[in-house]
Amino acid sequence: MSAVAGLEGDDPPEAEDRADPHGDPFLRTRFAVPARPVTFLRRERLTRHLDQALRTPLTMINGAPGAGKTLLVADWVAHRDGLPVAWLTTDAAGDGPGMFWAYLLRALRGVGVPLPADTGVPADANRVSPALPARLAAELTARERPVVVVLDEFDRVTAPEIAEQLEFVLHHAGPGLRLVLVTRTEPLLPLHRYRLAGELTEIRGAELAFTPDEAAELMELHGLRLPPTASRALVERTRGWAAGLRLCALAAGQSPDPEAYLKEFEADRSAIADFLLGEVLKRQDAQTQDLLLRVSVLDRFSPGLANAVTGRDDAEAVLARLSRGNAFVEHLGHGLYRLHPLFAEILRAHLRMRRPGLEPGLHRRAAEWLRRSGFLSEALGHGAAAGDWEFTAGALVDDLAIGQFFTGLRSDAVAELFSRMGRESTGPAPELVRAAGRLARCELDGGLAHLRRAQHELMEYDGTSDEAAARLSCALLEALAARLTGAPARAEDAARAAERLREAVPDDLLERHPELTALLLDHLGSTRLWAGHFEKARAALSTVADSAPGAATALPREDSLGRLALIDYLNGWLGRAEHKAREALRETERFGLPRPSGSGVERLVLAAVAVDRDELGQAQALLDTLADTHPAMRDPVLRAGRALTTARLHLARGDPGAALKAVEPEVPADVVSPWARGGTTLVAAAAHLIEGREETAAGLLLDVPDEQVACAVGAARIQLATGRAAAAVRLLDRVRPEGRAGPAVTVRAALVRAQAADEAGDGVSARGLVVRALEEARRERLRRPFREAGPWIRPYLGTAWPHWLTTGRLAPGAGPPRRRHEPPPPVYEELSGRERDVLRRLALTMSTQEIAADLYVSVNTVKTHLKSVYRKLSVNRRNEAVRRARDLDLL
């Protein structure tokens, strides 16, 4: 053969059996299908997907080093009996087209694919005759059965002409060729065309990742049995990376406590580190290695943040290349990236070893960039990691985010982050943060001490916007302290100061942190409620309750709704109070806030309503939940309300001694609450009255404030019970509860007047008043006043006792014979209009089909409504639902 022929032509086919274009013997290991280890786990979901390779011309398995790509295909090949599969592991990058095609032709002949003599054999390692791809494609087209060609480590093929020639053969070979590429990077072939035509089978990194169940099976193959929680944790840490799991299993097998090792192993001190450093990091150039080491301190990052941390301007291109190359850099979309957690852990350890002392500075650069870019939570984390607490506390305060200590999804994270701040950090911002942390735990003395220090240091500042933000934060904490101490005047001062300061704070800050205003108004409303200024309290609380819902304001919205419910309850409107209380319960639940959240005042209101309805078991269950409340919300309103409701529950159960004990401790507060003082006095008077100490009970009435209508009505009832009927009626005439209060107050007033009329011999008036009281009480399911009325009421009720009134227990002598008391059903959720329609027809013993026909809906729709009704009423059967609905006066 001439020299020219040697350059432009090809050797005869028998030459391929002897040597490659360099004249060296073919390396037979490159044609061998890799052996699977004895601990290999066959994953059916992947092999089923890979079966599609027989139906599409092109298949690509693309994943990171150690993702299990090669073993997956090797296992699949081993199960393809009777189908010719040519396996070729490509050589190091830089091989020319001649070498590539020489090896590929040798692989085809090695599995019995006959190639005619005119196909040729490349004689030059760097080039190939244009006729060779055409002849090969023509030969493959004529095959009755396809040949599968697996090109492993195809990412090493970097010559564009090889990809172009390979695509030519694939395109023209038709059904005679099925090409499977195993690669770490995107191949140069036009994948988009194959994808659009439905001729591409793809398995990528996310699909290659092990699931927790698969990881558990893999561990079992290594002799390790893991509980589901441990498997999930291991997969979370390794992201299901096959090589990482196998290396962990091998190392854990040599540990005396394998489960503890898998939970706590240090990635940088394991074989995983050797693998990732050798297979990933050291394959990159020096500048890329430096970038990876520096961005390892970041959780998620954009190219801009990466540039800020590394001090360069080419991060975008480098990160895109690394992501495409499956170099354990994942593109999250929207321009964000992250490192594989094990890779990041190893890189950070490598960074500390190669560049000791650099890490804090990288965190500080990241914190500054994130703060300028508006990513406060990430900036705080990096500021803390840098150990720069003045910066970190200043970022929180200047951003007007001090309210995050008390509400929102990040309250626990913020509190935990700043718990690491040492005493050496000085300045108004660190002191404000310390004050917020103490007050959030209801540590009043410590919180106020830090707040006073912050205010003292702020006296030396000028009128900058940062100072305004700090002073506004002071106002919020002052309002909280006023709330916790029951000091309405101080809360009003804080609110006025905040109103002035708002003008000096940028609008975007206030819009970004609506929780600050919501918390401040909630604190103000609570102190007004404590002081008995119900309408002023309602104004502040309603502003919060009517604000736009969101996770940041969910807690103050819940608390404000609960306190609005308490105002309604204290005014006698049980139905309104219950509705608002349930709305409050739903507020934080729908945003998934961490527990404890809220003050629990809404559950207190529901408990108080349950006592008035004589659902005593339900009341006790609700009171028992009040220990699980947010510490910063445990103010005098909650303490007094809980004591009063607990005492009234004891009275309802006939235990006056326990009632007295419940209200005995004085609720500490700067000012006396009129409704709390009046309620406490009335409970004590009722307890003494039950125990026969009438004069003691009457003497206590001097402390009951007349301006509180409910208290005045309660005082009138005690006066009547101690033989002062005329004084009781005069008191009711003076306060005139009718038109001013709800049924829980007016019904009691009517019964006092009715009893006074009965004692005066005016039966007609007494009967009329009892009938009116029954009508008002029925709407609210108000039973307690009739239980407390005594024997005088029996003749006026007659023998036809209303069903809603006889549910539960009656006081001795007040009505029909006492039944064994059963615990009331749990609290129910309000039914929708359509659910009530279904329930009414259920009570008429209509079948599901009849209800559907009557309502013009499908049977499945009726079944859906029935399931919802059963759930809301806490029942399991139809008759139970009807009985429960009647007990609740829903029918």
Side-chain angles (χ1 to χ4, degrees):
M1 181 179 295
S2 67
V4 174
L7 288 173
E8 298 183 355
D10 298 311
D11 286 341
E14 58 269 16
E16 61 87 18
D17 290 327
R18 297 193 301 270
D20 64 22
H22 288 307
D24 297 323
F26 282 109
L27 299 174
R28 298 189 180 278
T29 54
R30 294 179 60 186
F31 307 121
V33 178
R36 290 153 292 159
V38 294
T39 55
F40 175 78
L41 176 67
R42 180 178 174 82
R43 296 187 281 168
E44 292 294 338
R45 64 180 178 88
L46 294 179
T47 54
R48 284 196 302 269
H49 190 176
L50 197 49
D51 285 340
Q52 298 178 22
L54 300 177
R55 297 190 289 273
T56 59
L58 180 60
T59 295
M60 180 181 67
I61 298 89
N62 186 334
K69 308 180 294 296
T70 298
L71 290 180
L72 167 65
V73 180
D75 179 66
W76 178 78
V77 167
H79 290 80
R80 303 272 75 77
D81 295 334
L83 185 68
V85 179
W87 185 287
L88 175 60
T89 300
T90 59
D91 205 347
D95 267 1
M99 184 68 76
F100 173 82
W101 286 105
Y103 264 91
L104 182 54
L105 292 173
R106 177 67 181 83
L108 288 168
R109 289 191 174 98
V111 295
V113 177
L115 298 177
D118 62 357
T119 302
V121 178
D124 187 336
N126 296 316
R127 56 169 296 177
V128 64
S129 169
L132 188 150
R135 291 169 185 168
L136 177 59
E139 179 62 28
L140 294 174
T141 304
R143 291 183 58 82
E144 293 182 2
R145 297 183 63 197
V147 59
V148 177
V149 174
V150 177
L151 298 180
D152 191 19
E153 299 186 26
F154 191 70
D155 48 280
R156 298 188 178 205
V157 176
T158 58
E161 56 267 39
I162 295 178
E164 184 179 346
Q165 293 158 359
L166 188 62
E167 203 276 327
F168 175 89
V169 173
L170 180 63
H171 179 71
H172 292 285
L177 174 63
R178 294 292 182 256
L179 181 61
V180 179
L181 304 181
V182 183
T183 178
R184 297 182 181 184
T185 62
E186 292 285 291
L188 297 176
L189 278 68
L191 298 179
H192 61 282
R193 291 210 297 262
Y194 289 91
R195 189 180 291 118
L196 187 62
E199 296 180 338
L200 175 65
T201 297
E202 293 182 85
I203 298 179
R204 291 182 175 271
E207 191 175 355
L208 290 168
F210 276 64
T211 67
D213 289 341
E214 291 169 346
E217 290 184 59
L218 181 65
M219 293 298 122
E220 285 190 22
L221 291 174
H222 286 80
L224 306 172
R225 288 188 175 273
L226 295 183
T229 52
S231 295
R232 286 194 296 270
L234 184 59
V235 168
E236 176 66 24
R237 189 172 179 193
T238 61
R239 299 269 168 83
W241 177 42
L245 290 170
R246 294 183 192 280
L247 292 170
C248 283
L250 292 171
Q254 301 174 8
S255 171
D257 189 346
E259 187 175 339
Y261 174 85
L262 292 173
K263 183 179 180 181
E264 302 170 358
F265 72 91
E266 297 180 63
D268 61 297
R269 298 174 181 267
S270 67
I272 296 175
D274 297 334
F275 182 95
L276 288 175
L277 292 175
E279 289 292 323
V280 182
L281 184 64
K282 292 181 180 178
R283 286 194 174 201
Q284 310 300 328
D285 59 66
Q287 289 188 331
T288 303
Q289 289 186 35
D290 183 69
L291 181 142
L292 285 170
L293 289 171
R294 289 171 183 265
V295 300
S296 67
V297 303
L298 307 172
D299 293 325
R300 299 187 310 166
F301 48 91
S302 65
L305 176 55
N307 283 332
V309 170
T310 60
R312 48 199 289 177
D313 58 6
D314 62 344
E316 184 169 10
V318 175
L319 293 172
R321 172 173 59 79
L322 291 170
S323 177
R324 288 195 303 269
N326 282 312
F328 287 82
V329 177
E330 181 182 358
H331 184 219
L332 303 176
H334 306 289
L336 291 177
Y337 294 84
R338 70 179 173 193
L339 301 179
H340 187 286
L342 289 179
F343 191 35
E345 190 176 337
I346 292 163
L347 288 175
R348 285 193 292 272
H350 210 53
L351 173 68
R352 295 178 193 122
M353 180 183 68
R354 289 175 52 174
R355 303 289 300 275
L358 182 62
E359 191 172 355
L362 297 176
H363 281 295
R364 179 59 192 264
R365 286 187 185 182
E368 292 173 344
W369 187 90
L370 289 163
R371 182 180 178 185
R372 290 194 305 269
S373 302
F375 299 103
L376 177 64
S377 60
E378 292 87 348
L380 296 179
H382 285 287
D388 191 340
W389 293 106
E390 285 83 359
F391 168 88
T392 308
L396 183 81
V397 172
D398 294 345
D399 203 72
L400 214 60
I402 199 77
Q404 289 188 1
F405 269 98
F406 310 101
T407 183
L409 297 173
R410 285 188 40 78
S411 58
D412 287 349
V414 169
E416 195 280 330
L417 183 142
F418 281 103
S419 68
R420 307 197 300 268
M421 182 171 65
R423 297 181 179 180
E424 66 279 1
S425 302
T426 59
E431 290 296 345
L432 278 171
V433 166
R434 292 186 183 100
R438 292 290 189 90
L439 292 174
R441 298 190 297 271
C442 205
E443 297 174 6
L444 192 58
D445 292 340
L448 283 174
H450 288 297
L451 180 58
R452 296 294 170 255
R453 281 198 283 271
Q455 290 169 330
H456 177 74
E457 295 199 28
L458 279 170
M459 293 175 61
E460 303 175 5
Y461 279 61
D462 55 15
T464 62
S465 60
D466 287 350
E467 181 195 356
R471 291 186 181 276
L472 193 50
S473 299
C474 285
L476 171 65
L477 299 183
E478 279 285 4
L480 172 57
R483 170 196 185 131
L484 294 175
T485 56
R490 284 173 51 199
E492 297 288 351
D493 290 341
R496 283 191 292 269
E499 190 62 32
R500 292 191 301 270
L501 289 164
R502 286 170 61 93
E503 299 178 1
V505 174
D507 291 339
D508 64 307
L509 280 185
L510 292 168
E511 292 172 1
R512 196 156 64 234
H513 295 291
E515 71 274 6
L516 187 136
T517 300
L519 285 167
L520 200 148
L521 288 174
D522 183 44
H523 301 333
L524 177 63
S526 182
T527 59
R528 288 174 173 176
L529 170 56
W530 175 250
H533 305 316
F534 290 167
E535 292 311 308
K536 287 185 177 181
R538 191 189 302 276
L541 297 171
S542 295
T543 301
V544 181
D546 295 338
S547 62
T553 58
L555 189 144
R557 278 173 52 82
E558 175 196 15
D559 191 59
S560 292
L561 283 165
R563 286 164 200 274
L564 287 169
L566 180 57
I567 293 173
D568 283 336
Y569 173 78
L570 293 173
N571 284 331
W573 299 101
L574 300 192
R576 296 180 189 175
E578 183 183 36
H579 177 77
K580 286 189 178 71
R582 295 193 184 285
E583 189 179 352
L585 280 175
R586 291 191 290 269
E587 184 63 27
T588 51
E589 288 176 357
R590 65 171 169 162
F591 290 106
L593 294 189
R595 293 290 178 184
S597 67
S599 64
V601 70
E602 67 277 359
R603 284 170 282 166
L604 170 65
V605 170
L606 290 173
V609 169
V611 172
D612 275 342
R613 290 174 176 167
D614 211 42
E615 298 170 349
L616 306 186
Q618 180 66 12
Q620 184 64 65
L622 286 161
L623 286 171
D624 290 343
T625 67
L626 292 183
D628 184 26
T629 59
H630 196 295
M633 300 292 183
R634 296 171 190 167
D635 60 0
V637 171
L638 181 66
R639 292 193 184 97
R642 182 176 185 177
L644 287 172
T645 304
T646 301
R648 287 167 180 159
L649 177 59
H650 288 311
L651 288 177
R653 287 173 166 169
D655 190 347
L660 280 171
K661 187 175 181 180
V663 295
E664 183 179 8
E666 184 178 353
V667 175
D670 285 9
V671 301
V672 176
S673 170
W675 61 266
R677 182 187 66 185
T680 300
T681 302
L682 290 173
V683 164
H688 287 301
L689 193 62
I690 291 171
E691 294 185 335
R693 295 187 289 272
E694 293 186 3
E695 291 302 319
T696 302
L700 291 173
L701 297 183
L702 296 175
D703 290 331
V704 178
D706 289 354
E707 66 272 14
Q708 298 290 321
V709 178
C711 292
V713 171
R717 179 175 172 272
I718 298 296
Q719 287 180 331
L720 179 65
T722 56
R724 299 172 175 81
V729 172
R730 285 197 302 272
L731 178 55
L732 292 179
D733 289 342
R734 187 166 68 251
V735 299
R736 296 191 177 278
E738 297 79 11
R740 297 179 59 192
V745 176
T746 57
V747 165
R748 285 182 167 89
L751 291 180
V752 170
R753 290 184 185 275
Q755 185 177 355
D758 175 75
E759 291 179 2
D762 187 356
V764 174
S765 296
R767 185 175 300 279
L769 288 163
V770 169
V771 169
R772 190 178 78 188
L774 283 169
E775 290 175 352
E776 289 191 53
R778 182 182 183 279
R779 292 194 297 271
E780 301 276 7
R781 305 196 307 279
L782 180 63
R783 303 184 185 96
R784 192 75 234 148
F786 299 95
R787 307 289 195 271
E788 298 167 345
W792 69 270
I793 199 173
R794 185 167 186 167
Y796 298 104
L797 294 175
T799 58
W801 291 80
H803 185 272
W804 67 269
L805 186 59
T806 57
T807 302
R809 291 189 302 182
L810 289 172
R818 181 185 302 184
R819 301 183 301 177
R820 185 179 67 178
H821 177 61
E822 297 178 356
V827 176
Y828 77 99
E829 183 181 339
E830 287 191 17
L831 303 181
S832 67
R834 183 58 81 182
E835 289 165 352
R836 286 176 180 267
D837 291 339
V838 171
L839 185 59
R840 293 188 193 100
R841 287 158 179 78
L842 205 65
L844 298 175
T845 68
M846 293 174 67
S847 68
T848 304
Q849 291 77 10
E850 289 171 333
I851 296 173
D854 197 43
L855 293 176
Y856 299 98
V857 297
S858 69
V859 171
N860 285 337
T861 300
V862 173
K863 289 180 178 178
T864 300
H865 287 315
L866 283 174
K867 288 181 181 179
S868 182
V869 168
Y870 293 166
R871 177 181 61 80
K872 291 181 178 181
L873 297 182
S874 300
V875 297
N876 297 313
R877 292 187 291 273
R878 290 182 169 218
N879 58 345
E880 292 176 352
V882 173
R883 188 183 309 115
R884 170 75 165 130
R886 283 177 174 150
D887 288 345
L888 297 172
D889 202 26
L890 296 177
L891 295 173

